Amino acid sequence: IPTICERSTCRRFPHPAPPPPESPRGSMAVCAELNQLQHIEPSRFISFSFPNPFLHDASNPYSDADDHAEFLRVAVVDSPAPAAPSPTAPRTAAMLVPAGRHRDWIFSTRAGQLHLLLSSRSQCTISRLILVGPEIPTPSPRIVCSAAARPDPDPARARLLPLLLALCPRAAFGNGAIPDVPLLSFHDDLLRLVPVQLVAGPVVGEMLVEDVAVDCAPGPAELRRRLRFKRMPCLIQTQVRLAWPMSAAASAASSLLEALEEGPASSLQPEVGGPLVQPYLQAMVAGLALIDSSVEENARSGARPRCLCAGIGGGALPMSIRVGLGFDVLGVESDCVVLDVARNYFGLVEDEFLHVRVGDAIQMIQDFAHGDEPDSKFSAIMVDLDSPDAMCGVSAPPLEMTHRSILLAARRILHHDGVLVLNVIPPAADASFYKGLIDVLHQVFSELYEIDVGNGENFVLVARVSPTESTLLDSSRLFRTELRKLTGDFLERIRKVEIPS
């Protein structure tokens, strides 16, 4: 996803900053080139440089970085969904880029800002988001620390208000009223962030490996390594814990935070095969509880259950299933560079029970279904694929995976008591997506179960080829005990999705 799309413009505007508008037409005093902003246009993205209204002012949120920067970067994005007819005026909101993170893809790309807008809509309906921060070429620190919370009310808002009003659409000034433009805050759990490696792959494009310190209050902070793609910057593809190797743990003199600040040359190593960090992965593994009887039957006969992982990322899911549960795993990843990153930075190790292939996972499911390979049957298929269309916001799985023909192919390569496990993030712009997926899964499979991840975004759907014979509340099985070590309380969150009468 390019930082500036084809319809974007990039200009510097002269001093002074525009005064508050006296009328809707006055709101376009910034520049004639921005007259198009008088109306909301779905998915429009524009960025430009603007005289810094905080210059030498006590309210400057970026005084620690560069108190003399004459210009700031202003980016404007409109909601991808056409505004529904409403008696209320379209709402505009603004956000200050957290100090030190202006080059982060979340704040510097169209895809990242679109996700910020869509995320904000869960709290209030916003048609336009204005992002204000340092210009992208401005140097950023190698180690980014969490920014202090901004005061409420924020004095910076008063300095920005003329600009924000000038960028509101004409309809916001209905009946001569001056619109309220709230200044939103961005919060995450990062205490430290250190970039490790930036690479580009032939399929996913640019990707970033970064080490972070995460606030896990009330518990102690954790060090983690994570992988993000530029095309979907707000989505963490993989996240694993970092720890001292056993040989260095006892004699380590510096703290974990100090080791993080030493950079990638430090002796910290990713933990693999243990409890998963990301809750949605825990929920996906919990879905294997629906095949516990067949897994234990295989164990008694000396056979390993087979699992197909569609989408590998950093390899946390296949490694956990291979090491923690003793499965025979085949992983499929579309980008060879992603696999190299997983091996070099996230501890992915291939052996006789974990194999990986480069290719289109959905196509491979079809090939297995129509081929004659002897090892084309699986106890479980785990689908962790996100949609490549970043302009719809973060969503999963790809639309192709929801087609009846693909789901039938998946069923064909599962054992009679096998399961298809799907990570689902319904697209914000399509309220019918999730219901439609549930309907088609009910048509293809015998039973369907749901696990609410609890983060407001992810759901895990588990579809069984045949009706289950064991009770989900039966915790006496050995396999269920091993599952609980990896999945926490997600076993208790599994609920059956009944076919509507």
Side-chain angles (χ1 to χ4, degrees):
I1 303 301
T3 300
I4 306 297
C5 71
E6 290 76 12
R7 288 184 290 181
S8 302
T9 60
C10 185
R11 296 287 187 272
R12 288 186 182 273
F13 297 103
H15 290 280
E22 298 178 357
S23 68
R25 291 186 179 276
S27 66
M28 287 297 101
V30 177
C31 180
E33 292 185 2
L34 300 184
N35 277 338
Q36 56 185 306
L37 290 178
Q38 292 188 43
H39 306 284
I40 299 293
E41 182 179 330
S43 296
R44 175 173 50 207
F45 178 74
I46 291 176
S47 70
F48 55 90
S49 296
F50 189 81
N52 186 355
F54 304 120
L55 200 61
H56 309 307
D57 188 82
S59 66
N60 188 354
Y62 309 113
S63 57
D64 291 341
D66 187 355
D67 194 29
H68 304 286
E70 293 188 4
F71 291 90
L72 294 177
R73 175 180 180 266
V74 179
V76 181
V77 67
D78 287 347
S79 170
S86 172
T88 61
R91 191 166 192 194
T92 299
M95 182 181 294
L96 288 171
V97 175
R101 297 183 67 176
H102 57 282
R103 303 182 76 170
D104 189 315
W105 291 331
I106 295 175
F107 307 101
S108 64
T109 67
R110 179 190 183 193
Q113 188 165 340
L114 180 61
H115 180 79
L116 291 174
L117 183 149
L118 294 173
S119 299
S120 301
R121 287 170 67 94
S122 63
Q123 301 175 1
C124 56
T125 302
I126 295 174
S127 298
R128 172 171 293 170
L129 180 64
I130 304 168
L131 208 66
V132 180
E135 294 190 287
I136 292 176
T138 303
S140 58
R142 185 183 73 84
I143 300 171
V144 177
C145 300
S146 60
R150 300 289 302 168
D152 186 19
D154 194 332
R157 182 179 180 276
R159 306 289 299 182
L160 285 175
L161 189 57
L163 170 66
L164 302 182
L165 291 175
L167 295 176
C168 287
R170 175 185 299 183
F173 296 86
N175 299 320
I178 300 297
D180 175 45
V181 184
L183 193 60
L184 306 180
S185 298
F186 177 85
H187 299 287
D188 58 17
D189 54 6
L190 295 190
L191 300 174
R192 300 279 196 283
L193 186 153
V194 182
V196 175
Q197 187 66 43
L198 176 67
V199 296
V203 176
V204 306
E206 288 184 83
M207 65 194 87
L208 177 67
V209 180
E210 54 194 3
D211 289 348
V212 297
V214 178
D215 182 3
C216 297
E222 286 187 355
L223 297 194
R224 299 175 183 174
R225 177 164 293 163
R226 62 187 196 177
L227 174 66
R228 291 190 293 145
F229 297 161
K230 185 176 183 180
R231 71 180 188 186
M232 202 75 71
C234 297
L235 184 65
I236 299 174
Q237 300 290 332
T238 294
Q239 191 168 198
V240 298
R241 292 181 181 86
L242 292 173
W244 295 112
M246 293 299 294
S247 59
S251 59
S254 61
S255 70
L256 287 174
L257 282 178
E258 289 172 341
L260 179 67
E261 295 177 3
E262 290 174 8
S266 73
S267 56
L268 292 174
Q269 295 181 355
E271 292 183 349
V272 295
L276 292 156
V277 172
Q278 292 167 282
Y280 87 91
L281 290 182
Q282 297 176 22
M284 290 186 72
V285 174
L288 297 176
L290 290 159
I291 60 169
D292 58 356
S293 59
S294 64
V295 169
E296 296 206 356
E297 184 178 333
N298 283 336
R300 286 191 292 269
S301 65
R304 285 175 176 259
R306 299 190 69 230
C307 179
L308 173 63
C309 288
I312 294 177
L317 180 62
M319 284 294 289
S320 182
I321 296 172
R322 156 68 183 93
V323 177
L325 299 177
F327 275 54
D328 186 348
V329 179
L330 172 62
V332 184
E333 174 57 52
S334 63
D335 197 311
C336 59
V337 176
V338 172
L339 281 179
D340 289 339
V341 167
R343 297 181 184 111
N344 295 333
Y345 295 98
F346 291 90
L348 177 66
V349 177
E350 298 152 75
D351 59 22
E352 61 178 320
F353 298 120
L354 198 164
H355 303 272
V356 297
R357 297 186 187 182
V358 177
D360 184 328
I362 297 176
Q363 183 61 51
M364 198 163 293
I365 289 173
Q366 292 178 287
D367 293 344
F368 279 143
H370 298 105
D372 298 320
E373 291 193 39
D375 293 331
S376 61
K377 287 283 189 179
F378 299 89
S379 299
I381 300 174
M382 314 283 276
V383 180
D384 185 17
L385 302 170
D386 56 81
S387 170
D389 185 3
M391 291 305 99
C392 293
V394 176
S395 64
L399 188 60
E400 183 184 3
M401 187 67 222
T402 68
H403 293 169
R404 180 183 172 90
S405 61
I406 304 300
L407 296 174
L408 284 169
R411 175 177 174 139
R412 198 170 296 126
I413 64 174
L414 285 167
H415 289 301
H416 73 280
D417 54 359
V419 291
L420 171 67
V421 183
L422 293 163
N423 172 42
V424 184
I425 307 176
D430 186 358
S432 65
F433 176 88
Y434 192 61
K435 181 182 182 302
L437 177 56
I438 287 177
D439 289 344
V440 71
L441 286 169
H442 267 138
Q443 296 169 20
V444 174
F445 291 86
S446 295
E447 290 183 343
L448 182 63
Y449 295 82
E450 178 191 68
I451 307 173
D452 186 346
V453 177
N455 59 3
E457 289 189 342
N458 296 73
F459 296 87
V460 170
L461 293 176
V462 187
R464 271 188 60 98
V465 173
S466 58
T468 182
E469 298 175 357
S470 62
T471 172
L472 289 175
L473 299 177
D474 179 9
S475 59
S476 61
R477 299 185 186 278
L478 176 61
F479 179 66
R480 190 70 62 91
T481 302
E482 296 303 313
L483 268 182
R484 197 173 298 278
K485 296 177 183 177
L486 300 178
T487 63
D489 66 350
F490 279 106
L491 293 179
E492 281 70 44
R493 301 194 203 180
I494 302 174
R495 72 171 190 88
K496 190 173 184 179
V497 182
E498 302 290 352
I499 301 176
S501 56

